[in-house]
Amino acid sequence: MSNIRSYIEDYLKHEGYKLQQFSEIADINVGTLSAIIKGTRLMSMNQLDQITSAMGLEQGYFYEMYGVECFIESAPHWRRLEPFLYLCAELDKLDIIQQVITHVTDDQSYIDELFNVAESLYNKSMNEAALILYECVADSEKYQHSERLALCQYRIFLLHKTMSKFDNLNAAVKFEPYIDKLNEEVQLDAIKDLANVYMTIDLWDKVDAWARELERRTEFQLEMQSRRRKNKRRLTAYPLFTYAAYANLLISSVYGTRKEYDKAINYLQKYMKIIEIENPTEEDQNIIDLFKKWGEGNQYVFRIMVGQKSMIFPYLGYLEKNPEEILTGLLNILEASNQYGYNIDHVLKKFEHPINLFNTDFHNKDNYNYQMIDRGYRVFYYEMAKYQINQCNYSLGIDALLMCLDLSSSSKDDLMCVKCLDLYGEYRSEANETQMKKYKNVVEKLSLPTF
């Protein structure tokens, strides 16, 4: 079987190089190079890259062979394995990482180091490589109640989120039992992230329960904070008051979905009061400004939803000042218009350009969780379909409905698919030939579960 040494020997023979010549090209000591070729010395990653470059090959050409020779067929050495993992991650050679790590984790002595590399890759946003390491460490963890295992499961939960609501539900359910094993401060971020996932899949009872738990645990941490030394390193992603405010924002959103708008406004006022803190730092002020923006927008929304049509005009001004809120804002106005029979053609005309950019690469997605944006598009087009149909603009309504059906199919949102199929069935006679053909094409791709 070919190995790296035989490749080097064949190359030297083919190119007619003496060992001394090639050692100068590769910038490796001739004695070292001779020992590598004879197999009496293992090469480092740096030497491998130098030899690969000297042979005119792309970096990483020999990594699969190197992984087998150094870490599978031979006893692995961490001094070589660590840089190998980082370089494979940088070059996106994930299959090689998986192959090597599967063998390496048989030795429990490497678990600590592998976890540290996973954390480093995670912090560098090299998420796919980090996920491989987290999963291997979690599978190899002997102590099922360890904080390290819980942190691995937390990272896996964050990295496993997909556009499928069922995948996200499974990930959330699997992660829940590990929350109590995390550091008490880290638990706040974990609960926030868990509640956000339940929000994207419309499990509002779960959002409510975890939001109240977040509020309870934050109150405990705030009490503990007053007793700690002030220079203790913070483990939460945000200042503690953020979590108290966010818990109440979530509860306000829950009541909003239940159409209990008086309660929604009460919790809105509560989180607006929480952010009134003395002597805020620059970080604090940025968070305060964000909650103030959300609070202003939500006050308009809740009043529009109880039938105060006059609030639409100032809300439009708010959306113009905060273009990242346009998707959510137009969705809210559409829902209200469908409930109360408002004509909002002037609103749709005013925001025609951003609407045309929805669901394209030009739309700014930076300020939202991508699952929330995807869900927002689906609901937006469904409400748009209802609105246009209510206005007897059947062609526009069916176009929006087909867009919603297509997005829901791609996101495996079966409930929304069923709603689209029902609405289309009701107005099938209004569809033109092009729309009927598109409907047929989308339906053929559907794989709805049978009951």
Side-chain angles (χ1 to χ4, degrees), residues 118-317:
E119 288 283 87
S120 176
L121 294 175
Y122 178 80
N123 290 329
K124 294 175 181 176
S125 297
M126 302 171 79
N127 294 338
E128 291 181 275
L131 180 59
I132 292 171
L133 296 184
Y134 283 128
E135 289 180 330
C136 282
V137 171
D139 288 343
S140 305
E141 181 61 68
K142 290 191 302 182
Y143 304 105
Q144 291 302 302
H145 297 283
S146 73
E147 184 180 332
R148 181 171 64 195
L149 174 59
L151 192 52
C152 280
Q153 295 294 352
Y154 180 28
R155 301 288 193 239
I156 291 168
F157 164 70
L158 292 174
L159 296 174
H160 255 319
K161 287 186 289 187
T162 70
M163 299 304 279
S164 165
K165 64 188 297 181
F166 297 107
D167 289 345
N168 292 337
L169 174 59
N170 289 335
V173 170
K174 183 178 179 182
F175 171 57
E176 271 196 30
Y178 292 97
I179 286 181
D180 288 339
K181 300 177 182 68
L182 289 167
N183 173 280
E184 288 184 342
E185 289 181 64
V186 176
Q187 287 175 15
L188 303 186
D189 285 301
I191 292 172
K192 169 186 68 67
D193 293 328
L194 187 65
N196 284 343
V197 167
Y198 282 129
M199 185 162 53
T200 66
I201 54 182
D202 298 318
L203 290 180
W204 292 99
D205 286 347
K206 297 287 283 186
V207 175
D208 188 30
W210 281 110
R212 294 178 191 279
E213 187 63 18
L214 178 60
E215 183 177 37
R216 186 185 69 79
R217 298 194 193 198
T218 302
E219 287 174 356
F220 175 76
Q221 287 301 317
L222 284 165
E223 185 180 335
M224 294 294 292
Q225 185 184 60
S226 64
R227 302 177 187 176
R228 296 189 197 114
R229 62 181 189 276
K230 291 194 174 181
N231 60 351
K232 182 182 180 295
R233 186 171 72 90
R234 189 181 86 196
L235 297 181
T236 52
Y238 307 99
L240 283 179
F241 80 91
T242 310
Y243 301 92
Y246 193 69
N248 283 278
L249 185 149
L250 287 173
I251 297 170
S252 178
S253 299
V254 169
Y255 281 120
T257 62
R258 295 173 179 168
K259 303 188 185 305
E260 297 180 52
Y261 297 113
D262 288 343
K263 291 180 180 178
I265 290 171
N266 286 340
Y267 278 93
L268 181 154
Q269 292 169 343
K270 189 174 177 182
Y271 70 72
M272 293 296 284
K273 188 173 182 180
I274 288 171
I275 61 173
E276 294 176 1
I277 60 175
E278 295 181 1
N279 303 317
T281 64
E282 183 179 353
E283 181 187 24
D284 294 340
Q285 191 60 54
N286 289 335
I287 293 168
I288 290 167
D289 291 343
L290 190 59
F291 274 94
K292 283 183 176 179
K293 181 178 74 173
W294 290 337
E296 181 187 355
N298 287 336
Q299 286 192 60
Y300 291 132
V301 170
F302 295 144
R303 285 174 168 80
I304 290 169
M305 289 302 185
V306 295
Q308 296 182 26
K309 187 179 180 181
S310 61
M311 289 292 104
I312 292 179
F313 181 74
Y315 189 39
L316 296 180

